[in-house]
Amino acid sequence: MDQEVHFCQKFTNMNYHWVKMEGSFLPAPLNESNEVDHFLVEPKSDHELGNCLRVQDFSRDFGYEIQTNDAEVDENSFRQNRGLQLGKPSSESKSQGSSRSDTDAFEISELSATMVMEAEFNNTPVERSLTRELFSGLRTRGGCATPFEGNICDTILDNNNIHKFNTNENYLENEKISDENVKGDIVASKLASCSRERRLRKPTRRYIEEFADSKSENNKGRRKPPTKDKYLKVTSTEESNHIRHKVQMLTPKDESHCGTSVPVQSRSQRRHPEKHVPVSGFLSEDEPSATECKNVYSSAKICKKYDRRKHQKMWTLTEVMRLVDGIAEYGTGRWTRIKRHLFASSPHRTPIDLRDKWRNLLKASCVNIQNSKGTECKQPHASRPLPKSLLQRVYELANIYPYPKERSPKPVREATPPMYLIESNSLSFNWGRKKYE
DNA sequence: ATTAGGG
DNA sequence: CCCTAAT
């Protein structure tokens, strides 16, 4: 008994897989532990991933079903499919001392299944050669680097110690019905059809992208982020705090004037800015913190195809004010600088966004000019109404820094100052950086 | 790389 | 917000 335990432990410590062969335990050596890692190495590119061969591919070709212990075992289906049951990814199948996760262990099991299959068919020289052909064909297929390297294939094929990888006693007995001749025929035909280069369909572009999306969660930082990510880096907590503080100083106490139809947004919604619930009206306090921003956009970074159109972030009043501040300081056309200095804590705003927002602000101010003339007294109904003071500042800045450069939209050479210029009382809050008086 | 302009 | 041309 002790000896048996010791024996087991000894082999457990080594790179052995425990297999049952004809009812008795046998250690199936994984001598080439290094080479086994070839199977575990993740493909470096998504393209490779798309072309990777999976165990299922083999099982389909062989008419075999590879099942794991996780699923309920149906003996009949086993008999029908001549299935192989894999050992549960337990600690026994793992080499001790290695830090493999359970997933890796499972991959090992899958690998073992493939090995078992191959070994099982290597009874005759014909089968062996067929198997070799199959593997060589697979290796070179499509010019893609499959995880199957030459050495491991040879190892598999030459390893006749592994006959069966089975932990199910009943299955072992049922499997005894196997008829060598029938098996040989089936194997031969299957292998032949396999070696006819069953082409793996080249994954569609969309498939690759979607796969990359899901896969890239595990591969953070492996791929060089797109250029947009340049704006993702939150410079420093101090700086962002500084900015936030400044912004808070600028935030008007009373926001009742800056939105008539502001739908109620629950706090839970605000805590999940990923949802980007479209909200009309400015919410100065929905300004996510720097860490929140990071989280939001890191999730956006994860998905390369993060569709900002579908997850539009409303411009908050504080953001608009910051933008106006930045333009007042740096002028128009220096969006990157504004972005760097004032929007470092809001990574979802690109310099182009700033410019676009400024264009919209100009448009908005022009609308109000028309209103002031009384020609079109259309309140900006659907859009978020801006505080008059803000529009005033936009107007002033538009005169100082005309944008677009050449043909300024409304130079408004002090011809007819808009209403909100006259109503100086409407200035309900203080513009911190620059005073226009 | 950044900006302007149009969609 | 995106795309593209221009700088």
Side-chain angles (χ1 to χ4, degrees):
Chain A
M1 185 66 177
D2 280 350
Q3 265 188 343
E4 190 178 342
V5 170
H6 176 70
F7 181 74
C8 287
Q9 265 186 338
K10 181 182 173 187
F11 278 102
T12 304
N13 289 336
M14 297 171 68
N15 289 331
Y16 275 73
H17 274 235
W18 281 103
V19 302
K20 276 193 176 176
M21 190 187 74
E22 305 298 327
S24 61
F25 262 121
L26 273 184
L30 287 176
N31 293 333
E32 322 287 334
S33 62
N34 288 337
E35 290 166 357
V36 170
D37 283 342
H38 286 304
F39 284 83
L40 308 174
V41 169
E42 285 190 16
K44 291 188 175 55
S45 70
D46 302 322
H47 180 70
E48 286 181 21
L49 270 177
N51 287 293
C52 263
L53 294 168
R54 302 190 200 94
V55 179
Q56 287 86 342
D57 293 330
F58 291 97
S59 61
R60 205 178 310 132
D61 275 333
F62 285 104
Y64 277 61
E65 204 71 44
I66 297 179
Q67 301 185 17
T68 68
N69 262 346
D70 295 339
E72 276 300 319
V73 177
D74 183 359
E75 289 181 13
N76 288 330
S77 70
F78 253 114
R79 204 172 305 159
Q80 197 175 356
N81 297 326
R82 305 164 59 89
L84 290 166
Q85 191 185 9
L86 297 185
K88 202 173 183 177
S90 62
S91 58
E92 302 159 73
S93 58
K94 279 192 281 187
S95 57
Q96 239 181 20
S98 71
S99 61
R100 299 213 185 289
S101 65
D102 279 354
T103 315
D104 287 337
F106 183 71
E107 290 180 52
I108 289 177
S109 297
E110 285 187 338
L111 159 67
S112 304
T114 313
M115 296 168 67
V116 168
M117 269 196 307
E118 296 309 319
E120 194 177 358
F121 301 144
N122 284 335
N123 292 334
T124 69
V126 177
E127 290 168 358
R128 178 178 291 189
S129 67
L130 278 171
T131 315
R132 280 184 191 278
E133 186 184 342
L134 163 67
F135 267 87
S136 66
L138 291 175
R139 273 203 298 269
T140 58
R141 173 168 300 164
C144 86
T146 68
F148 297 88
E149 301 294 339
N151 285 342
I152 188 64
C153 284
D154 292 339
T155 305
I156 292 169
L157 300 180
D158 290 331
N159 189 356
N160 286 319
N161 290 330
I162 305 175
H163 286 268
K164 201 150 293 183
F165 192 82
N166 196 340
T167 58
N168 190 320
E169 292 281 355
N170 295 330
Y171 171 60
L172 261 185
E173 291 181 2
N174 291 333
E175 187 58 16
K176 285 175 184 171
I177 65 169
S178 60
D179 181 353
E180 285 301 321
N181 294 332
V182 172
K183 190 171 81 175
D185 288 349
I186 293 175
V187 167
S189 61
K190 291 290 181 184
L191 282 174
S193 67
C194 256
S195 56
R196 273 202 301 270
E197 298 275 325
R198 189 174 73 86
R199 297 185 68 84
L200 289 177
R201 235 177 84 202
K202 186 184 176 186
T204 63
R205 188 172 175 178
R206 178 175 172 180
Y207 172 79
I208 293 173
E209 285 170 353
E210 285 178 357
F211 199 89
D213 286 351
S214 60
K215 197 72 184 175
S216 58
E217 281 191 17
N218 303 326
N219 306 339
K220 280 183 190 173
R222 174 184 292 183
R223 192 187 308 272
K224 191 182 177 185
T227 52
K228 278 179 188 172
D229 287 355
K230 186 174 61 177
Y231 307 112
L232 300 186
K233 50 182 178 188
V234 178
T235 52
S236 71
T237 330
E238 285 184 11
E239 186 178 350
S240 40
N241 284 341
H242 170 65
I243 290 170
R244 287 177 56 75
H245 178 69
K246 197 168 57 186
V247 164
Q248 276 188 342
M249 297 285 286
L250 291 172
T251 305
K253 295 281 186 285
D254 181 16
E255 289 190 345
S256 60
H257 63 282
C258 69
T260 52
S261 61
V262 179
V264 180
Q265 192 187 25
S266 66
R267 288 216 165 264
S268 61
Q269 279 175 327
R270 289 181 198 174
R271 281 209 196 94
H272 300 290
E274 304 91 3
K275 290 194 172 181
H276 300 289
V277 182
V279 175
S280 67
F282 291 101
L283 296 165
S284 61
E285 65 261 74
D286 84 337
E287 189 81 13
S289 67
T291 53
E292 268 178 327
C293 275
K294 244 200 275 190
N295 290 338
V296 169
Y297 216 75
S298 69
S299 67
K301 185 174 59 180
I302 283 168
C303 312
K304 204 180 83 185
K305 297 282 285 181
Y306 182 80
D307 199 350
R308 296 176 76 211
R309 268 181 175 165
K310 288 176 185 170
H311 308 271
Q312 298 203 9
K313 279 224 76 172
M314 287 297 179
W315 273 80
T316 64
L317 183 59
T318 57
E319 280 178 320
V320 174
M321 290 189 302
R322 237 188 296 175
L323 172 63
V324 172
D325 254 351
I327 290 170
E329 184 163 349
Y330 301 104
T332 56
R334 305 193 166 165
W335 309 110
T336 44
R337 210 171 294 182
I338 297 171
K339 155 73 186 174
R340 260 199 294 270
H341 287 93
L342 293 173
F343 286 84
S345 62
S346 44
H348 52 280
R349 300 292 180 211
T350 68
I352 296 185
D353 292 334
L354 305 186
R355 188 211 46 170
D356 288 342
K357 184 58 185 173
W358 179 245
R359 284 197 302 189
N360 289 333
L361 285 177
L362 285 182
K363 244 183 279 182
S365 69
C366 290
V367 164
N368 272 24
I369 289 171
Q370 280 188 342
N371 286 347
S372 70
K373 286 177 183 171
T375 56
E376 255 186 287
C377 268
K378 256 200 285 184
Q379 285 288 336
H381 42 276
S383 62
R384 301 170 295 286
L386 292 162
K388 285 183 178 180
S389 48
L390 187 58
L391 289 177
Q392 178 193 353
R393 202 179 182 204
V394 170
Y395 173 82
E396 291 170 354
L397 287 175
N399 282 332
I400 298 171
Y401 307 106
Y403 179 88
K405 292 258 169 109
E406 283 308 302
R407 47 180 191 86
S408 50
K410 296 272 181 180
V412 193
R413 306 179 188 279
E414 301 170 20
T416 53
M419 194 85 87
Y420 51 75
L421 270 186
I422 300 167
E423 295 177 12
S424 60
N425 294 337
S426 65
L427 277 175
S428 58
F429 54 92
N430 181 21
W431 300 103
R433 192 179 300 268
K434 295 226 173 182
K435 314 268 192 268
Y436 298 95
E437 294 176 307

